Amino acid sequence: MVTKYIIVSIFLVILFAVSYNTFRKIKTYQDYNLAGKGTGLFALTATLVAAEFNTATLIGGASVAYLFGTVGMWYTSLIFIAVFLAYAFTVAKKYRKLNISTISQFFDKRFKNEKYSELIRFMSAIITLFYTWLAPASYLAGLAVIGSVLLGVDPVIFSITIVVICLILSITGGLLTAIGIDVVAFIMIMIGIPTILFIGISAAGGFGSLSQVYEPKLLSLAPVWDTEVNFPIALTWGLQILFLYIAAPWYGQRIFSAKNEKVAYTAMLWNTFFIVVLYGMVVLATMFSKVVFPSLDKPEESLPLLIATQSNSLVQGLLLVTLLLVGVSTLIAVWNSAVSIIVNDVVRRYFLKNKGDRQFIIASRICFVIIAASTLIFGIVFIGNIQNSLLFLSTFTGIVAIPILISLYWKKYNSLGALSSMISGLAYSGIAITLSFPIYFISPIAVIVATIVGIIVSLATSKNHVTDNQEFYELIESPLELESHETESVLIPKESN
């Protein structure tokens, strides 16, 4: 146990060193909020992988593999092929070209001067903030499981410790610090996850041992329809998070920080590869853990138990650090996006107009303290219900993606149509969740409803609702990579310091 604490302490020193180094580099609010919009390919790929690779999926999602074998491969890994390729091909370059700071500002650019542009911008800000404010609690719950199993620490005490550490790391350098921590996390993930798989294979005695604990259909990638978590649910979950990520502020914030649109696009392609492969390794390791622990009452403890019982103290310490970094990096990532929404879409827009960078950085740090406190409270409540807590949060956020996608590819789509899409999708989702509809009747139907309603309203109001979006389309369709200052001079009004 002493070895584990020594290793954890060493990595804490490394993280605080990264935090201090990035703190010294902060000169402007853009440095704090978007890393100066200069994030290169390696750093952007690393931060995208680390921001997605989270404890909610790692602990909660991987437990699906423990119970249902290769259904977990679809649910946890393979769905991300469609999710992130769709992101790369539809929005990655366009987001970066727009030079925006939050998802909500997309609607400012697309529906500039239209009657309902402010309302839809405000609604999208509230919806995306809703997810980023509550989701960190589920990541904290996953971290509490890791701390309880591998360190024997009380979940509440461990949660408090993690929140305090993350708060100190976050408030120093904002997104610049978050990306630095993500690079450390990425390196450890690339080492740690294959190591966990190797431990699982060795402990179980090879791939042939899986047939001892899984029936043949759960060892094939052929669709399985008759289990509690099955192929239709995996596809529905994939569709749900596809739309979630297109509207996800923590991914958007990283894409906005890219050096240019080519870096944004290429990093997303690499992110797709790494996430699918790494989560695939996690699924296999979890399946092997069932050979070692065939009758766990809490499947979410399978991976931590595999590490705790099948490796020496040094390896345990390094893998513990890997799992902790997985959770900490995502927690900080989502906190950063929540703070960015509050400061850019609320404080800066309505309360601190035309203020200087220093005031916005101070406001950001105050917001970090508030969201850290709320994460701790909600995280303690969420312990024991990790994956379900994200399921419904993602439904509402994903609705924001519908007007984004339609407005990118259909010029006649207006702000009233976009507003109608959002309201109808949210209304249906709320009703479906309240009435306990099956999961595959929630997000898929909500997407259809939101799309149809938005198109009908746009067509019905086209004569009386004038749109002025030529500048928007000229920018996102431009084959040239505009420098940040050129784009900002066209689309973003100057603000005095």
Side-chain angles (χ1 to χ4, degrees):
M1 189 66 73
V2 174
T3 303
K4 295 180 188 178
Y5 279 104
I6 292 174
I7 294 174
V8 170
S9 299
I10 291 172
F11 273 88
L12 277 177
V13 171
I14 293 173
L15 294 184
F16 282 120
V18 170
S19 179
Y20 176 71
N21 183 54
T22 53
F23 170 75
R24 295 177 60 191
K25 294 179 180 179
I26 299 297
K27 305 298 182 184
T28 67
Y29 176 65
Q30 181 167 281
D31 293 337
Y32 193 88
N33 183 51
L34 291 175
K37 293 187 178 179
T39 308
L41 180 59
F42 174 75
L44 186 58
T45 301
T47 192
L48 290 172
V49 171
E52 157 49 36
F53 212 79
N54 61 78
T55 48
T57 303
L58 189 67
I59 302 300
S63 65
V64 174
Y66 180 90
L67 296 171
F68 306 111
T70 49
V71 174
M73 187 68 75
W74 285 103
Y75 189 86
T76 307
S77 173
L78 297 180
I79 58 171
F80 283 104
I81 297 175
V83 171
F84 290 133
L85 286 182
Y87 194 109
F89 293 137
T90 59
V91 299
K93 288 184 178 181
K94 293 176 173 62
Y95 276 169
R96 182 58 186 90
K97 285 181 178 181
L98 288 171
N99 264 286
I100 51 182
S101 299
T102 66
I103 293 295
S104 301
Q105 290 178 5
F106 171 91
F107 297 107
D108 276 338
K109 304 296 182 286
R110 174 59 174 82
F111 301 116
K112 184 176 63 174
N113 299 326
E114 289 192 36
K115 184 177 180 180
Y116 298 101
S117 61
E118 181 68 13
L119 181 56
I120 190 171
R121 186 208 63 78
F122 182 77
M123 281 189 63
S124 63
I126 295 300
I127 294 167
T128 52
L129 181 60
F130 175 75
Y131 186 96
T132 56
W133 198 273
L134 296 179
S138 65
Y139 307 139
L140 183 61
L143 283 166
V145 172
I146 294 169
S148 175
V149 174
L150 290 179
L151 288 175
V153 181
D154 178 79
V156 174
I157 295 175
F158 194 75
S159 296
I160 294 171
T161 304
I162 288 293
V163 166
V164 171
I165 291 172
C166 289
L167 177 60
I168 295 171
L169 293 173
S170 298
I171 62 176
T172 53
L175 185 65
L176 199 59
T177 298
I179 292 174
I181 292 172
D182 285 345
V183 169
V184 177
F186 175 74
I187 293 170
M188 290 304 299
I189 289 168
M190 295 297 292
I191 297 171
I193 298 305
T195 301
I196 294 174
L197 176 59
F198 177 77
I199 291 171
I201 294 173
S202 300
F207 281 86
S209 62
L210 293 175
S211 59
Q212 301 172 16
V213 291
Y214 292 106
E215 53 186 304
K217 68 178 181 180
L218 300 181
L219 292 175
S220 167
L221 288 176
V224 177
W225 306 87
D226 58 351
T227 52
E228 182 180 350
V229 178
N230 50 39
F231 186 68
I233 289 178
L235 289 184
T236 303
W237 176 237
L239 178 69
Q240 186 165 311
I241 61 174
L242 186 156
F243 289 105
L244 167 66
Y245 269 94
I246 287 174
W250 63 97
Y251 251 52
Q253 188 182 26
R254 279 152 175 74
I255 293 297
F256 305 152
S257 78
K259 183 178 296 185
N260 53 51
E261 62 264 29
K262 183 179 179 180
V263 169
Y265 172 76
T266 307
M268 186 55 67
L269 294 180
W270 279 112
N271 174 62
T272 305
F273 171 77
F274 285 123
I275 287 297
V276 171
V277 172
L278 289 168
Y279 272 146
M281 291 181 178
V282 169
V283 168
L284 288 174
T286 305
M287 292 173 66
F288 284 119
S289 74
K290 187 167 185 176
V291 179
V292 183
F293 313 109
S295 303
L296 288 179
D297 293 329
K298 297 179 179 180
E300 65 271 16
E301 294 182 352
S302 56
L303 275 183
L305 281 174
L306 182 69
I307 296 169
T309 61
Q310 303 298 318
S311 60
N312 60 46
S313 58
L314 178 61
V315 174
Q316 286 181 37
L318 292 172
L319 294 180
L320 170 62
V321 165
T322 301
L323 295 180
L324 291 178
L325 283 172
V326 165
V328 166
S329 62
T330 307
L331 191 68
I332 292 174
V334 180
W335 276 5
N336 265 278
S337 62
V339 169
S340 180
I341 293 169
I342 297 170
V343 174
N344 287 290
D345 292 329
V346 180
V347 174
R348 194 173 187 176
R349 193 176 186 94
Y350 300 113
F351 300 105
L352 295 180
K353 296 180 180 180
N354 300 320
K355 297 295 183 180
D357 288 356
R358 184 171 178 272
Q359 283 81 3
F360 297 135
I361 293 175
I362 292 173
S364 298
R365 287 171 173 156
I366 293 172
C367 290
F368 270 120
V369 174
I370 296 172
I371 195 172
S374 65
T375 296
L376 181 60
I377 295 170
F378 290 129
I380 294 172
V381 174
F382 274 128
I383 289 175
N385 192 21
I386 297 172
Q387 197 67 12
N388 288 338
S389 63
L390 286 182
L391 199 60
F392 298 122
L393 286 174
S394 62
T395 302
F396 296 110
T397 307
I399 296 299
V400 177
I402 306 304
I404 289 175
L405 290 173
I406 298 176
S407 61
L408 279 173
Y409 298 99
W410 188 37
K411 294 182 179 181
K412 293 183 179 180
Y413 192 59
N414 58 41
S415 61
L416 184 57
L419 186 63
S420 301
S421 288
M422 201 172 292
I423 292 174
S424 60
L426 291 172
Y428 175 82
S429 299
I431 293 170
I433 292 172
T434 301
L435 297 179
S436 300
F437 283 14
I439 184 176
Y440 32 80
F441 288 142
I442 301 178
S443 288
I445 305 300
V447 168
I448 295 172
V449 169
T451 302
I452 292 175
V453 170
I455 291 173
I456 291 174
V457 171
S458 292
L459 291 173
T461 59
S462 59
K463 292 183 179 180
N464 300 321
H465 204 93
V466 179
T467 60
D468 179 21
N469 52 36
Q470 187 61 34
E471 187 179 274
F472 174 88
Y473 283 104
E474 286 178 355
L475 179 60
I476 65 171
E477 293 170 1
S478 170
L480 300 176
E481 296 182 3
L482 299 179
E483 294 296 329
S484 296
H485 65 84
E486 293 176 330
T487 313
E488 287 169 0
S489 66
V490 174
L491 287 177
I492 302 177
K494 296 286 186 180
E495 297 196 31
S496 64
N497 290 333

